[in-house]
Amino acid sequence: MSDIAETSDVERKLSGWGRLLWVLLPLAVLAAALAWVFAANPLRNLDIGAPPVEGLTIERTVLDSAGLRMEVRAGGSTDMRIAQVQVDDAYWLFTQEPAGPLPRGATAWISIAYPWVLGEAHAVRFVTDTGATFDHEIAVAVPTPRPTEAALGGQAIIGLIVGLLPVTVGLMFYPALRGIGREGMNFLLALTVGLLAFLFVDMTGEALELAGEAAAMFQGPVLVVLAAAASFLLLMAVGRWRGAPGGLQLAGFIALGIGLHNFGEGLAIGAAFASGAAGLGLFLIAGFALHNVTEGIGIAAPILKQKVPLWAFAGLAMLAGGPAVVGLWIGSLATAPQWTALALGVGAGAILQVIIEVGAYLTRSNAGKAGTWFTPVVIAGLIAGGVVMYVTGAVVKI
């Protein structure tokens, strides 16, 4: 007891300046230690003469009438200089903007007046002044879309068809589903958890795949995990601000999670447009529409027991389907992989939060019975949600 009293006395005696001193003193010791490391270089005796590790990541590729333009980023442990560029095994003159060596983490545009051929593949190799090489493949050469008014309008229509329309169709089942009993409600909520679980796994996988294409300095997988954790914790805090969400509030969270996933789908479609990998024919559009109808039913599940105004349905549909348009616009402009991975990581965290909240709502709706999750109806809903999303997802994979 006396020790606690003595500690309290010491804390009271520390003035504001005293506390500041004990904040600055440890930082000063750390700064002095780091300054000595850089000045004395204690590792110099371990230097075996190996060249520093260079890294080059191609973040954007633009094909137009002037040739090839690529935005590159130096992602290694040191500065680097691009000395030569090969296209299809032949050396070509190039211009770099800004010119000179690339500091670690810096980007530059490389322009090559190469007569690329529509529909063919081209191999590009960058050679540094140390002899290191970095390869980049253009799988299908097509002109890079420009953000014209007509192009953006056409992409918006496609985004609305694959995002907003199917979610709206799913919400239109609301009147027909309102009369279902307890077992039917349990099935729909479990179905929602099943489809969200599929979206979570799918989105996380895509985010980690893109993270592997980013420069090493961005620590892609860690970036995805941190983004997912931050969005999950933030949304959990907002959702539980005044108790566990239910009804329209829970439907809004479901719509938000699905909207972030549809944003990712829009990015994929836009990137496919930019690379020529997908023509987005009628079959593909129909596949996306079928894939997303189930999402609308999932959004409607928590509000089946209450009357909801028409404007709320419009808001839920826009929140869930509208982001597909924005994602398609951004994806068609060929964004860098690390920022796309970051966006998908945020979406994955949001979907995980919705899974937990829908699961909690299902448990509360059944008077907190622990065995609810192991009833045949709930298990059937979980399986059905995952299977439906998997089968329809196979149609739309590009």
Side-chain angles (χ1 to χ4, degrees):
M1 192 73 179
S2 60
D3 291 340
I4 297 175
E6 288 177 7
T7 302
S8 302
D9 291 340
V10 170
E11 289 178 350
R12 280 195 295 268
K13 289 177 182 178
L14 276 175
S15 64
W17 288 108
R19 292 181 185 276
L20 180 61
L21 175 63
W22 282 106
V23 170
L24 296 178
L25 185 59
L27 295 177
V29 171
L30 177 62
L34 291 177
W36 176 82
V37 167
F38 281 100
N41 190 14
L43 300 179
R44 61 184 179 277
N45 294 329
L46 302 178
D47 187 2
I48 60 174
V53 178
E54 296 178 331
L56 189 73
T57 305
I58 293 81
E59 294 191 347
R60 293 185 61 187
T61 302
V62 176
L63 282 69
D64 54 27
S65 58
L68 309 177
R69 294 179 65 237
M70 279 161 282
E71 186 179 27
V72 300
R73 183 185 297 272
S77 61
T78 185
D79 298 356
M80 61 183 299
R81 183 187 294 272
I82 298 174
Q84 295 174 316
V85 177
Q86 293 180 359
V87 183
D88 294 337
D89 297 323
Y91 289 99
W92 284 80
L93 294 174
F94 70 94
T95 59
Q96 175 182 322
E97 184 182 347
L102 278 172
R104 181 177 185 268
T107 60
W109 280 96
I110 305 296
S111 301
I112 312 160
Y114 180 77
W116 54 272
V117 181
L118 181 67
E120 291 194 1
H122 298 289
V124 183
R125 170 169 291 180
F126 297 90
V127 185
T128 71
D129 57 355
T130 64
T133 60
F134 301 92
D135 295 328
H136 175 66
E137 181 185 8
I138 301 173
V140 182
V142 293
T144 303
R146 294 187 175 277
T148 63
E149 185 175 335
L152 293 177
Q155 291 171 6
I157 293 174
I158 293 175
L160 291 173
I161 292 175
V162 301
L164 182 62
L165 176 63
V167 171
T168 303
V169 170
L171 286 170
M172 289 174 66
F173 284 96
Y174 170 80
L177 296 173
R178 288 203 68 192
I180 63 173
R182 169 56 52 196
E183 294 297 304
M185 186 71 170
N186 287 348
F187 177 83
L188 283 180
L189 289 172
L191 180 82
T192 303
V193 173
L195 71 88
L196 289 171
F198 174 89
L199 295 181
F200 173 74
V201 174
D202 182 60
M203 205 165 191
T204 303
E206 290 182 5
L208 292 174
E209 182 179 349
L210 281 166
E213 300 174 9
M217 62 177 292
F218 288 107
Q219 307 170 76
V222 178
L223 179 69
V224 170
V225 172
L226 288 177
S231 66
F232 169 75
L233 293 173
L234 179 61
L235 289 172
M236 283 296 294
V238 172
R240 296 296 179 101
W241 185 261
R242 295 185 177 178
L248 187 58
Q249 184 185 10
L250 182 56
F253 277 115
I254 296 174
L256 175 62
I258 289 174
L260 290 171
H261 177 266
N262 285 336
F263 175 77
E265 282 187 347
L267 288 174
I269 298 170
F273 264 124
S275 65
L280 269 188
L282 294 177
F283 180 74
L284 192 57
I285 292 176
F288 266 109
L290 181 62
H291 184 63
N292 291 345
V293 164
T294 316
E295 298 174 353
I297 297 175
I299 295 170
I303 53 177
L304 294 179
K305 299 303 180 183
Q306 63 184 89
K307 294 188 69 175
V308 179
L310 189 60
W311 64 263
F313 284 104
L316 291 171
M318 284 299 300
L319 184 59
V325 177
V326 181
L328 203 149
W329 282 339
I330 296 175
S332 66
L333 300 176
T335 58
Q338 65 270 11
W339 308 130
T340 304
L342 176 65
L344 294 178
V346 170
I351 290 175
L352 180 59
Q353 180 261 349
V354 178
I355 291 174
I356 291 177
E357 294 295 13
V358 175
Y361 183 74
L362 173 60
T363 303
R364 292 197 309 273
S365 299
N366 289 271
K369 294 179 181 177
T372 300
W373 287 92
F374 302 102
T375 59
V377 169
V378 171
I379 292 175
L382 291 171
I383 294 174
V387 169
V388 168
M389 296 302 284
Y390 177 82
V391 171
T392 56
V395 177
V396 300
K397 277 298 177 185
I398 341 179

